[in-house]
Amino acid sequence: MGRKVTVATCSLNQWALDFEGNLDRILQSIDIAKSRGAAYRLGPELEICGYGCADHFYESDTLLHSFQALRKLLESPITQDIICDVGMPIMHHNVRYNCRVLFLNRKILLIRPKMQMANHGIYREVRWFSPWNQLRKVEEYFLPRMIQEVTGQDTVPFGDCVLSTKDTCIGTEMCAELWNPRSPHIQMGLDGVEIFTNSSASHHELRKADQRVNLVKSATTKSGGIYLYANQRGCDGDRVYYDGCAMVAINGDIVAQGAQFSLSDVEVITATLDLEDVRSYRGELCQPNLESEPRPCHRVKVDFSLSSGDDIYLPTHQPITWHFHTPDEEISLGPACWLWDYLRRSGQAGFLLPLSGGVDSSSTACIVHSMCVLVCQAIEDGNRRVLEDVRRVLGDDSYCPQHPRELCGLIFTTCYMASENSSEDTRSRAKDLADQIGSTHMNINIDLAVKGILGIFSVVTGRLPQFRVNGGSHRENLALQNVQARVRMVLAYLFAQLSLWARGKPGGLLVLGSANVDESLTGYFTKYDCSSADINPIGGISKTDLKSFLLHCVEQFQLTSLRGILAAPPTAELEPLTDGQVSQTDEADMGMTYSDLSVIGRLRKISKCGPFSMFCKLIHMWKDALSATEVAQKVKHFFRMYSVNRHKMTTVTPSYHAESYSPDDNRFDLRPFLYNTRWTWQFRCIDNQVAQMEANTPKQ
């Protein structure tokens, strides 16, 4: 009958500037798509060079190597007899564009530049690319000589155009265009385009996946059609994790779903669908077209069909229910996959973590344990690439892990760094958790190093600082806490470099951090302390979510030692104990709870509140618990802490981006790090508002 089409989309674990590896993964995905009968294959955004090239997009080398890789694709027999849709940067009239290149049988059919750029949050696309803002306009693009030699073409269509085969019409969207209120699929659908494609580089954030799925479903609910969504997967060299979720939808229903978190470098999703279902769906909704000035799409015709003449017995894919991970599962899986990519691509032999026995460092340890579980499961499922990576990381060509605890013992070292201010409770909690996950655990006492440093200071100045409880000033007390924290950082790096050497094994270890997003927001950590590390898997996750995640680990991994960790009050243990018990707690030091910080952090970043507007919102949100005066005090206290400590964000450890209120100033939260910490004008506005509210409150 010639109306059923088999199409393929994919998630690829591409790596910025890894042209060789990226090319291999693209070819592998095309080969899989063809083996499953697909006539069209869609890949992620900028898949040839990798999405995260950043300022390397300015370099002519990136453009050159992308075209060299495209030539390899055109020449490969794997790409024959299937329409291939790949992503790469292209310069046209001396302007860089983020493009899709569609080709078939050594001929480029069209080049479609991105029209609506992602330029918010972590994205800065307009720094490197210009949008193609000429609606329905198509120009001639003169191909480089190296491509002309393969295709025999001098020019190809470049611009806002769609592909018209003998049996259907295919239109392109790219990542942010799906999220835009003027998405191209709307006009394309009204003009008869039946298959929409979206190549993405969409990163993981907690509780975000449903937005993406709902947008894809909505795109085809309104006017019908088939929608293919491709996404990058993995860590491509930066703080974000791209979380796959390749999918195919038709007329508002998802019919094929890829994994959100996986260690597979290549995942291909195929679906067979009936074009007549689209036409029947549209027959009532989209007819007649009542636009006063219709602007038809520029169609590029190709002598090719996605369907065959005899497909009556070919079964079609039916609607499925999307399985969404809980936030606890997302924390367990996303950072774990990111850590694995970082480890295998860094050339290091494992991780080292200062394990304090508190919620934060225990969360980092549990994520590494989850990574080991994923690695063992992937190997058990027959993933040869993961097994090869494990053997390369460990320097053992014959090793095959039998259990996550065994693997954890080989690639994960934990150490409890005790001082005279440390309690027996935290030491035992750290050891119990290390025993349960299987890490190689060490107990290290830092007192000798701390006394040595203070001895040097005393020799030079003739004075010896004291803790506050021993009569010292606030400045002395803070300095004594900081020296302990910084000594731990130095020792962590020393043991990371030499602990494997001491055991007669090759390689070094990556130091893992364990400061959560709320502590980063207020600066409640020592600059260059043991929160300083190579990478931090929990740096974008709130304390509230981490506690919930640890409860999940108790059930999921049977890590019963976490119950005692969750029950203990959060403390840095940097001040002397009182009768052997902790006298210092984090929330008392910060002057607010972690729950308060989570609310304040979202208002500061997501709602874009300064001190006054934050106060105006919180007097309603917290009206049952706090008076207007108390809310004002909390808001002013937060902004003082935030502005005094903002400088610490310039040196904070690179962290997994998981929250939309992250204070990471690398490229997500672009704000000053030197403030007038008195906030005189802003705080006066708050005080005036409080006074006015009190004056208008009836006397009892």
Side-chain angles (χ1 to χ4, degrees):
M1 294 177 65
R3 67 184 195 183
K4 295 179 182 176
V5 297
T6 301
V7 290
T9 182
C10 60
S11 296
L12 302 183
N13 196 329
Q14 304 297 73
W15 191 7
L17 301 176
D18 179 25
F19 291 95
E20 188 115 17
N22 293 348
L23 177 62
D24 288 344
R25 287 180 283 271
I26 293 170
L27 285 170
Q28 187 179 340
S29 70
I30 296 171
D31 196 29
I32 294 171
K34 283 180 66 177
S35 71
R36 297 178 183 173
Y40 180 95
R41 174 268 182 198
L42 174 73
E45 187 173 11
L46 292 168
E47 59 190 306
I48 286 181
C49 58
Y51 182 80
C53 294
D55 281 2
H56 289 287
F57 285 123
Y58 289 135
E59 300 168 3
S60 60
D61 281 14
T62 305
L63 299 172
L64 168 66
H65 299 326
S66 294
F67 270 114
Q68 289 171 335
L70 177 62
R71 174 170 176 150
K72 294 282 188 183
L73 288 170
L74 288 163
E75 291 175 330
S76 173
I78 293 174
T79 64
Q80 302 305 296
D81 302 319
I82 181 172
I83 296 176
C84 298
D85 186 336
V86 299
M88 61 180 282
I90 290 178
M91 183 172 281
H92 176 57
H93 293 171
N94 295 329
V95 178
R96 274 183 310 277
Y97 295 98
N98 176 349
C99 295
R100 302 304 299 176
V101 179
L102 280 69
F103 63 90
L104 170 69
N105 294 338
R106 299 170 70 100
K107 298 288 184 184
I108 293 177
L109 305 174
L110 62 87
I111 299 174
R112 202 285 207 170
K114 193 170 186 177
M115 301 172 67
Q116 296 161 358
M117 313 304 289
N119 202 50
H120 63 281
I122 67 166
Y123 298 105
R124 296 287 181 272
E125 286 184 358
V126 295
R127 179 178 174 90
W128 309 295
F129 301 110
S130 293
W132 181 263
N133 52 20
Q134 302 175 74
L135 190 67
R136 302 291 181 262
K137 184 173 180 182
V138 178
E139 299 178 353
E140 285 188 321
Y141 176 75
F142 283 83
L143 294 169
R145 188 177 292 112
M146 74 174 83
I147 304 299
Q148 292 180 22
E149 291 170 354
V150 177
T151 67
Q153 301 164 287
D154 294 326
T155 63
V156 294
F158 185 103
D160 181 17
C161 50
V162 298
L163 187 66
S164 183
T165 65
K166 292 197 291 186
D167 53 356
T168 189
C169 190
I170 305 167
T172 298
E173 284 190 330
M174 296 174 69
C175 200
E177 294 174 352
L178 172 63
W179 302 72
N180 194 282
R182 293 184 177 179
S183 297
H185 70 257
I186 298 171
Q187 291 300 321
M188 289 192 294
L190 292 172
D191 193 37
V193 174
E194 296 177 327
I195 300 175
F196 310 110
T197 68
N198 188 301
S199 53
S200 250
S202 182
H203 69 285
H204 171 239
E205 276 184 6
L206 297 178
R207 305 172 179 88
K208 173 187 170 185
D210 63 317
Q211 300 174 35
R212 192 187 294 150
V213 174
N214 289 337
L215 282 168
V216 169
K217 291 170 67 174
S218 173
T220 57
T221 299
K222 289 177 287 190
S223 59
I226 296 169
Y227 204 105
L228 277 68
Y229 178 86
N231 194 21
Q232 182 154 317
R233 168 183 289 152
C235 168
D236 75 342
D238 211 330
R239 292 159 167 79
V240 297
Y241 176 79
Y242 300 100
D243 58 337
C245 292
M247 68 187 94
V248 181
I250 180 171
N251 298 342
D253 291 318
I254 303 294
V255 295
Q257 169 189 354
Q260 185 175 14
F261 307 107
S262 172
L263 300 187
S264 297
D265 283 350
V266 177
E267 181 187 37
V268 178
I269 303 300
T270 56
T272 300
L273 299 164
D274 194 334
L275 293 171
E276 287 301 314
D277 289 339
V278 175
R279 293 158 189 167
S280 298
Y281 188 92
R282 288 179 170 179
E284 184 177 4
L285 290 177
C286 303
Q287 180 177 318
N289 188 335
L290 298 178
E291 284 190 272
S292 58
E293 295 183 14
R295 302 190 65 180
C297 301
H298 180 94
R299 281 168 159 77
V300 176
K301 297 179 181 179
V302 56
D303 185 18
F304 186 78
S305 296
L306 299 190
S307 59
S308 65
D310 183 19
D311 58 12
I312 190 168
Y313 296 111
L314 189 64
T316 56
H317 281 62
Q318 300 303 306
I320 61 173
T321 300
W322 190 283
H323 168 71
F324 290 105
H325 291 287
T326 66
D328 296 334
E329 291 172 335
E330 289 186 274
I331 295 171
S332 177
L333 298 170
C337 293
W338 183 74
L339 281 181
W340 176 245
D341 276 349
Y342 201 103
L343 176 60
R344 70 192 181 107
R345 288 173 170 172
S346 68
Q348 299 301 298
F351 298 116
L352 180 136
L353 171 69
L355 185 60
S356 69
V359 166
D360 295 328
S361 62
S362 297
S363 296
T364 296
C366 288
I367 288 170
V368 176
H369 176 71
S370 177
M371 182 199 80
C372 293
V373 171
L374 289 174
V375 167
C376 290
Q377 185 62 56
I379 293 171
E380 186 178 325
D381 293 342
N383 192 320
R384 294 292 304 175
R385 180 55 192 266
V386 173
L387 179 58
E388 291 169 5
D389 286 334
V390 168
R391 289 173 173 174
R392 182 169 46 79
V393 166
L394 295 176
D396 184 345
D397 292 338
S398 62
Y399 176 72
C400 187
Q402 301 301 309
H403 193 275
R405 285 190 80 258
E406 173 195 283
L407 179 61
C408 202
L410 294 172
I411 66 172
F412 190 31
T413 298
T414 52
C415 54
Y416 180 78
M417 297 185 177
S419 74
E420 60 186 14
N421 302 319
S422 301
S423 67
E424 177 59 28
D425 288 342
T426 54
R427 187 198 67 78
S428 62
R429 288 198 293 266
K431 185 179 186 306
D432 289 346
L433 178 59
D435 288 343
Q436 288 192 344
I437 65 175
S439 64
T440 299
H441 189 65
M442 298 181 289
N443 281 306
I444 303 170
N445 192 294
I446 67 170
D447 286 336
L448 191 62
V450 171
K451 289 175 180 175
I453 291 173
L454 292 177
I456 294 172
F457 179 83
S458 179
V459 167
V460 173
T461 65
R463 303 189 66 182
L464 189 65
Q466 300 294 324
F467 281 105
R468 183 166 40 203
V469 296
N470 297 326
S473 65
H474 172 72
R475 180 168 293 277
E476 292 171 73
N477 196 67
L478 192 60
L480 289 173
Q481 292 182 63
N482 288 346
V483 73
Q484 295 171 76
R486 288 174 175 141
V487 162
R488 285 177 172 136
M489 183 269 290
V490 173
L491 287 172
Y493 275 99
L494 177 65
F495 278 89
Q497 288 180 299
L498 294 179
S499 60
L500 291 182
W501 166 81
R503 289 180 240 159
K505 296 181 179 180
L509 303 174
L510 292 163
V511 179
L512 295 181
S514 56
N516 63 62
V517 69
D518 299 322
E519 290 173 347
S520 297
L521 183 61
T522 58
Y524 185 67
F525 62 91
T526 302
K527 201 173 186 179
Y528 306 114
D529 72 344
C530 64
S531 65
S532 301
D534 293 309
I535 49 175
N536 180 2
I538 69 164
I541 305 173
S542 72
K543 190 83 159 192
T544 305
D545 281 336
L546 289 175
K547 288 181 177 180
S548 179
F549 162 64
L550 290 187
L551 282 173
H552 166 78
C553 291
V554 172
E555 304 300 325
Q556 181 71 19
F557 303 127
Q558 289 75 54
L559 301 178
T560 54
S561 61
L562 294 173
R563 295 192 188 278
I565 291 168
L566 283 164
T571 175
E573 289 194 332
L574 294 173
E575 295 188 41
L577 302 175
T578 302
D579 298 325
Q581 299 298 313
V582 170
S583 60
Q584 171 197 44
T585 63
D586 294 348
E587 291 183 334
D589 279 1
M590 290 190 296
M592 59 188 72
T593 67
Y594 283 107
S595 178
D596 292 344
L597 278 173
S598 187
V599 173
I600 287 171
R602 286 178 167 84
L603 289 175
R604 181 198 72 97
K605 177 63 179 175
I606 301 172
S607 300
K608 300 172 178 62
C609 289
F612 182 70
S613 55
M614 184 181 291
F615 165 78
C616 292
K617 288 184 182 295
L618 287 176
I619 56 174
H620 298 291
M621 296 172 68
W622 289 347
K623 66 179 185 298
D624 295 334
L626 299 173
S627 68
T629 300
E630 290 170 326
V631 171
Q633 290 171 345
K634 273 189 181 282
V635 170
K636 290 191 283 187
H637 178 63
F638 165 76
F639 274 97
R640 287 192 193 99
M641 286 186 67
Y642 162 77
S643 54
V644 164
N645 292 311
R646 178 65 185 180
H647 65 95
K648 297 179 182 179
M649 292 309 301
T650 63
T651 62
V652 74
T653 296
S655 301
Y656 179 95
H657 178 88
E659 272 290 2
S660 52
Y661 73 92
S662 167
D664 184 353
D665 80 336
N666 171 258
R667 64 178 184 182
F668 180 69
D669 189 33
L670 306 180
R671 300 176 191 236
F673 58 87
L674 178 63
Y675 283 91
N676 180 342
T677 58
R678 295 185 299 277
W679 299 85
T680 49
W681 189 287
Q682 295 91 331
F683 287 0
R684 190 183 308 122
C685 287
I686 293 175
D687 292 339
N688 291 342
Q689 189 64 47
V690 170
Q692 184 178 337
M693 293 173 68
E694 290 177 345
N696 292 334
T697 301
K699 296 287 189 282
Q700 297 294 326

